[in-house]
Amino acid sequence: MMSIRPTTPATEREVSIAAGAVQLEAILGEVPDPVGVVVFAHGSGSGRKSPRNHYVARQLHRAGIATLLIDLLSVEEDREFRMRFDIGLLQPRLVAACAWVRGVDRYAGLPLGLFGASTGAAVALRVAAALPDDISAVVSRGGRPDLAGVPALELVRAPTLLIVGANDQQVISLNEAALAELRCDARIDIIPGASHLFEESGTLEAAAALAVAWFARHFAGVAGGAVRP
């Protein structure tokens, strides 16, 4: 059973991560005695200060999971709409973020998960396919996993949860198509009453609870990542 620690808030700090020729800005959420780390890949038009992803991150902190919310584009790049959908550009940057996490001593041996929203879900799945021995779990919220492409989806080994709003019909279809290509432990959960952004009362809370349970469950199965009872 996962441990909820509401009286132990995370310590958040801004960090800068080198990825090729660019410096990416991120927010590292640290908790005492972490059982794992989740790196967030934001969707198009979103970023490290997204209130929805911050809410999910806070719920992960309560379960003893550290987080890294990172902007995969610089401020200048984000002004070009097409770059938000350039999965080939964003993938190595998320790989660099994962490598940065591994370079922090206290996280080096912990389970590592990826949380992707919108186009960020495709980036997360591409990275999971490229790093099958290092990614322990993936969660997509209102994501576009289909954009990862069939070859990558077939290579994903990390347990993958696809969360979609019941009122987001087109994205449900795209997620179902991606699910059919995944060969790993994977499922889709549809949140009643939720639209694409999970703005309806209680819907983001439901999505966050599913994400926390998924990471906690799969981190617990990784050596050194047992979740405390």
Side-chain angles (χ1 to χ4, degrees), residues 7 10 28 53 65 74 76 79 86 88 93 102 115 118 124 139 143 146 149 174 189 196 203 214 227:
T7 58
L28 178 65
N53 285 343
I65 298 171
S74 68
E76 295 75 19
R79 294 192 181 105
D86 192 339
R93 296 185 178 187
R102 287 299 187 217
F115 182 95
S118 190
V139 173
D146 55 297
L174 295 170
D189 278 347
H196 185 63
T203 59
W214 189 262
V227 178

Side-chain angles (χ1 to χ4, degrees), residues 28-210:
L28 178 65
E30 299 192 279
V31 297
D33 304 317
V35 298
V37 189
V38 171
V39 179
F40 283 64
H42 304 289
S44 57
S46 185
R48 71 187 188 281
K49 297 183 179 179
S50 158
R52 287 179 290 276
N53 285 343
H54 268 274
Y55 175 81
V56 176
R58 288 195 298 272
Q59 305 316 303
L60 289 167
H61 298 158
R62 296 180 66 199
I65 298 171
T67 58
L68 182 73
L69 288 80
I70 186 168
D71 291 348
L72 296 178
L73 293 173
S74 68
V75 174
E76 295 75 19
E77 291 172 334
D78 194 49
R79 294 192 181 105
E80 294 191 44
F81 185 76
R82 62 177 180 81
M83 297 189 77
R84 301 176 182 179
F85 290 83
D86 192 339
I87 310 302
L89 170 71
L90 302 176
Q91 177 186 343
R93 296 185 178 187
L94 186 56
V95 169
C98 293
W100 184 90
V101 169
R102 287 299 187 217
V104 178
D105 288 344
R106 70 194 308 243
Y107 303 135
L110 293 181
L112 181 62
L114 300 175
F115 182 95
S118 190
T119 52
V123 183
L125 287 165
R126 284 268 190 98
V127 171
L131 303 174
D133 297 326
D134 201 31
I135 304 302
S136 297
V138 177
V139 173
S140 161
R141 176 186 61 79
R144 290 291 308 275
D146 55 297
L147 294 177
V150 172
L153 291 172
E154 291 179 341
L155 291 174
V156 174
R157 294 293 174 264
T160 298
L161 174 63
L162 308 177
I163 303 173
V164 191
N167 298 338
D168 200 6
Q169 290 297 323
Q170 183 178 6
V171 174
I172 289 176
S173 297
L174 295 170
N175 274 255
E176 289 175 338
L179 182 66
E181 304 298 341
L182 288 166
R183 302 291 180 263
C184 57
D185 174 9
R187 78 167 195 244
I188 184 169
D189 278 347
I190 298 176
I191 306 296
S195 59
H196 185 63
L197 295 179
F198 295 81
E199 295 176 306
E200 298 76 15
S201 177
T203 59
L204 182 60
E205 291 83 350
L210 288 170

